[in-house]
Amino acid sequence: MKKFLYTCCLFLGCLLGAQAQTLSAPESLYQTLGQKAGITALMDEFVGRVLQDARIKHHFKDTNAQTLKASLSDQICQLSGGPCKYEGADMKAAHAEMGIRKQEFHALVEDLQAAMDSKGIPFAQQNRLLALLAPMHRDIITER
Ligand code: HEM
């Protein structure tokens, strides 16, 4: 009987433990991306890829890559729930006059996905970041 009770408690304990785990708050995306250091490394990789991407690199010919990486790192840090403050231009003002097309936006997103793959960021977490960025297409794409 004692053994039976012990087994029951163990079973219930496991059940409650599993339940608590599924109910606990999901880790913030900021943590998952490796906090500021991880995001900075990711933006380094991402901007490196963008500057080599024949589909879009012409847009960045007069861009200071270090400044852009710093701006993007702050933006992603803030968006993902981190303690940073993005102080650059809003997305509409930053991309006005560039004549960015839908295909170019998608090319940049592909570069970001490839950068996240190369950093070993799990697919589900990649999607969390992409979901935060996707609505920006309205302000960034100005050409058909
Ligand atoms: C979700 C997509 C995008 C995000 C989150 C994003 C974010 C940013 C940010 C934060 C800046 C810096 C603004 C500032 O510091 O004031 C910037 C600048 C810029 N972005 Fe984007 N961008 C996106 C898509 C694109 C696309 C698709 C292109 C072109 C194909 C592009 C081209 C540029 C260029 C050329 C600059 C200006 C860099 C400079 O100051 O020389 N962006 N973007």
Side-chain angles (χ1 to χ4, degrees), residues 90-131:
D90 66 69
M91 289 299 94
K92 200 170 190 126
H95 301 90
E97 320 295 332
M98 289 185 196
I100 295 173
R101 297 170 185 278
K102 195 162 128 188
Q103 296 97 302
E104 294 178 313
F105 186 88
H106 289 146
L108 179 131
V109 170
E110 274 175 30
D111 292 338
L112 178 57
Q113 285 172 313
M116 290 194 285
D117 275 344
S118 83
K119 295 283 175 200
I121 297 170
F123 188 62
Q125 308 306 324
Q126 295 191 15
N127 283 341
R128 285 173 76 189
L129 179 56
L130 295 175

Side-chain angles (χ1 to χ4, degrees), residues 13 15 23 38 44 46 51 63-64 70 73 85 87-89 92 99 102 111-112 118 121 134 136-137 139-141:
L15 216 64
L23 290 180
D44 214 39
F46 166 54
L51 296 181
T63 294
N64 178 322
S73 299
K85 189 154 172 41
E87 287 176 329
K92 200 170 190 126
K102 195 162 128 188
D111 292 338
L112 178 57
S118 83
I121 297 170
M136 296 178 183
H137 75 90
D139 289 332
I140 294 174
I141 299 170

Side-chain angles (χ1 to χ4, degrees), residues 40-77:
T40 304
L42 175 63
M43 290 303 109
D44 214 39
E45 176 73 30
F46 166 54
V47 171
R49 285 171 186 266
V50 166
L51 296 181
Q52 307 240 321
D53 187 334
R55 298 170 294 178
I56 52 176
K57 66 178 181 187
H58 56 280
H59 282 290
F60 298 87
K61 61 183 185 325
D62 299 323
T63 294
N64 178 322
Q66 291 312 320
T67 313
L68 180 62
K69 284 177 198 173
S71 254
L72 280 166
S73 299
D74 279 344
Q75 186 191 39
I76 303 292
C77 169

